[in-house]
Amino acid sequence: MTMAGELFATNTRPVAQPVSGGGKLTLFLLALVIVVIAEAIGNVSIPVGAGKIVLLPLLWALLLGGALGLMSPRLPAPLRLSEALQNAAGAYLQPALLIFIAKLGLLVGGSLPKILASGWALAFQEFGHFFGTMVFGLPVALLLGIKREAIGATFSVGREPSLAIIGERYGMDSPEGRGVLAEYLTGTVFGAVFIALLAGLIASLKIFNPLALAMGAGVGSGSMMAAASGAIAAQQTPEVAKDVATFAAASNLVTTTIGTYFTLFLSLPFTIWAYGKLEPILGRNRPDAARPAEVDPQAAAPAHQEVRIGLGETVLAWILIGAYGLIGNWLTYGVVPDAQVVAGMAIIIGTVLAGWGLYLLLGRRLPAVLWVSIIGMALTYPGTPYAAEIAALTGKLNFLALATPILTFAGLSVAKDVPAFRRLGWRIVVVSFMANAGTFLGAVLIAQFFMHPPLG
């Protein structure tokens, strides 16, 4: 088992959650209705000073799914989402994400020369991702009177590997454990909405190269990357929007593959050192009453429950999610799902199947996301046989239409985490938002520096 696998193993407590076939059918029917409504609403722009916030279909999908989960106890029986169904929605996020990743891989392959032309920008912006959380979040945490919880909340964006790292080193009942738990839950419940609004607002100011913004979107979370890159791409020309998707995917792939090791060996030790230096200055004379309320980690910990999805169900999920993407592509972008468009979707699903097959064949030692991305890039890399034809067919599908199903399933799964989220103090939630802003803005600033003058 890889280091990443060992870290996950220390934190996950698999519990088989039986969900009937009828329950899963209900889940997918609800997802279909939400996708149709979200795409029918379309893009909505809200002016904010000199900029604007663009609310995309993927955000409507997230909000509608979350609202349905929260209102579930008061809804008629056919519309209720049990906790088991919410866990199932979370489990189907991975199939939905792989469809999106395959599309991005197919985009990246044809644009690899352009990515390589970005020079050091793509390499060095990763330091912004991993240190931006601490630079933006830690001072705010100390000024708010938060103590060692600040370490767990600001050393990373707090995804599953971060929970495992802190849990193994300090234990989840420690202040550091409460901090990373707050970051995890804030990101789960609000992360995609927050990063999309922030990215859209920053993009509307026109002060950064769109490709620098795209690299900032690759924060290491598939749903957050989809939301942020979508908000940026929606404000660009169609050609630039494709480049935004390409660079966001490349950045997210780098962040995902090296993220666990970077946070373990660099960003966590650096955050601990910075806390020791800054706390006596910024945290001086802060009363203990200003600290967040003590939280029972067993009561507030996210339930990492495993819903078993067989291979047949997974393949069916890919087909259904692909169909949802075709619907969104039609409703929002006016592309009728003719034979060529369906063929393009078939290539995307085939890429996922090939990547998943390699993932299983090689003993699950590396993430499936990596294999799907590599195969997608290889298919459209200049010089690969039929690369131009594959790029043309898959290019008829807008990547934003494939992002909407991801956020739909994310929304349908978040309600189960809200009770635990409410137990956390508001100060550490503010810090979590600052950390998420820091990972985006830190990467954008570094990428912009290395990309000056902007690429043509």
Side-chain angles (χ1 to χ4, degrees):
M1 183 180 291
T2 63
M3 181 186 295
E6 290 171 354
L7 289 172
F8 275 105
T10 63
N11 189 61
T12 6
R13 300 181 302 277
V15 178
Q17 293 292 305
V19 180
S20 67
K24 291 176 181 176
L25 176 62
T26 299
L27 182 65
F28 272 88
L29 287 175
L30 289 174
L32 173 60
V33 172
I34 290 172
V35 167
V36 170
I37 293 174
E39 297 288 4
I41 295 173
N43 298 341
V44 177
S45 296
I46 302 174
V48 179
K52 63 180 177 180
I53 293 174
V54 180
L55 302 179
L56 304 172
L58 57 87
L59 277 178
W60 298 124
L62 177 66
L63 295 173
L64 287 170
L68 182 62
L70 291 172
M71 295 188 301
S72 186
R74 296 183 290 277
L75 293 176
L79 296 178
R80 289 178 189 164
L81 281 175
S82 65
E83 185 173 342
L85 275 183
Q86 291 173 30
N87 284 322
Y92 280 116
L93 267 175
Q94 179 69 4
L97 178 60
L98 289 179
I99 293 283
F100 183 70
I101 292 298
K103 165 62 179 176
L104 294 184
L106 290 160
L107 271 176
V108 170
S111 301
L112 277 175
K114 185 177 290 188
I115 292 173
L116 295 175
S118 67
W120 291 106
L122 186 61
F124 280 100
Q125 57 87 31
E126 288 301 320
F127 286 90
H129 278 308
F130 293 116
F131 290 113
T133 54
M134 185 280 296
V135 171
F136 281 72
L138 185 59
V140 173
L142 295 176
L143 288 171
L144 288 175
I146 296 173
K147 299 301 181 182
R148 294 193 65 85
E149 290 89 348
I151 294 173
T154 65
F155 86 104
S156 74
V157 290
R159 295 297 84 204
E160 285 83 355
S162 301
L163 285 173
I165 290 169
I166 291 294
E168 183 175 311
R169 177 159 182 173
Y170 296 103
M172 292 307 294
D173 58 345
S174 65
E176 293 82 359
R178 290 191 291 272
V180 74
L181 177 62
E183 172 67 12
Y184 177 88
L185 289 174
T186 304
T188 298
V189 178
F190 294 124
V193 173
F194 174 78
I195 203 72
L197 296 178
L198 175 66
L201 178 61
I202 298 299
S204 71
L205 299 176
K206 308 295 184 185
I207 58 178
F208 292 109
N209 187 312
L211 301 187
L213 292 169
M215 285 187 257
V219 298
S221 163
S223 58
M224 290 175 69
M225 184 266 286
S229 60
I232 298 163
Q235 303 183 47
Q236 315 300 328
T237 64
E239 188 59 35
V240 175
K242 290 182 180 179
D243 288 340
V244 166
T246 297
F247 276 80
S251 172
N252 203 65
L253 183 60
V254 174
T255 305
T256 301
T257 52
I258 70 172
T260 300
Y261 307 99
F262 204 110
T263 52
L264 180 61
F265 296 116
L266 291 177
S267 58
L268 178 57
F270 185 77
T271 303
I272 295 170
W273 174 84
Y275 176 86
K277 296 294 183 183
L278 294 177
E279 198 280 331
I281 302 170
L282 299 180
R284 185 179 300 166
N285 298 324
R286 298 275 171 181
D288 288 343
R291 297 177 63 183
E294 295 292 308
V295 180
D296 178 4
Q298 297 303 319
H304 295 282
Q305 296 178 325
E306 179 187 9
V307 175
R308 293 179 180 173
I309 302 175
L311 181 59
E313 290 178 305
T314 302
V315 173
L316 179 60
W318 283 325
I319 295 172
L320 291 175
I321 291 164
Y324 296 173
L326 291 175
I327 292 171
N329 205 47
W330 182 17
L331 291 177
T332 302
Y333 303 101
V335 181
V336 178
D338 58 18
Q340 288 191 329
V341 176
V342 172
M345 180 58 74
I347 291 172
I348 291 174
I349 294 175
T351 302
V352 173
L353 286 168
W356 186 259
L358 269 178
Y359 168 66
L360 296 179
L361 185 63
L362 297 174
R364 304 173 184 256
R365 294 183 183 278
L366 292 172
V369 168
L370 179 64
W371 297 119
V372 171
S373 297
I374 289 174
I375 292 173
M377 288 187 286
L379 286 174
T380 55
Y381 182 76
T384 300
Y386 303 107
E389 290 80 3
I390 292 173
L393 289 173
T394 56
K396 295 179 181 295
L397 290 151
N398 192 295
F399 82 99
L400 290 178
L402 301 182
T404 304
I406 296 176
L407 276 298
T408 299
F409 284 100
L412 290 169
S413 70
V414 299
K416 67 183 184 302
D417 294 315
V418 170
F421 175 79
R422 287 173 177 164
R423 298 187 184 102
L424 300 168
W426 67 267
R427 295 175 183 84
I428 210 160
V429 174
V430 172
V431 172
S432 178
F433 281 140
M434 290 300 299
N436 287 332
T439 192
F440 173 73
L441 292 173
V444 169
L445 290 168
I446 293 176
Q448 180 76 12
F449 175 81
F450 281 99
M451 293 178 67
H452 186 79
L455 294 176

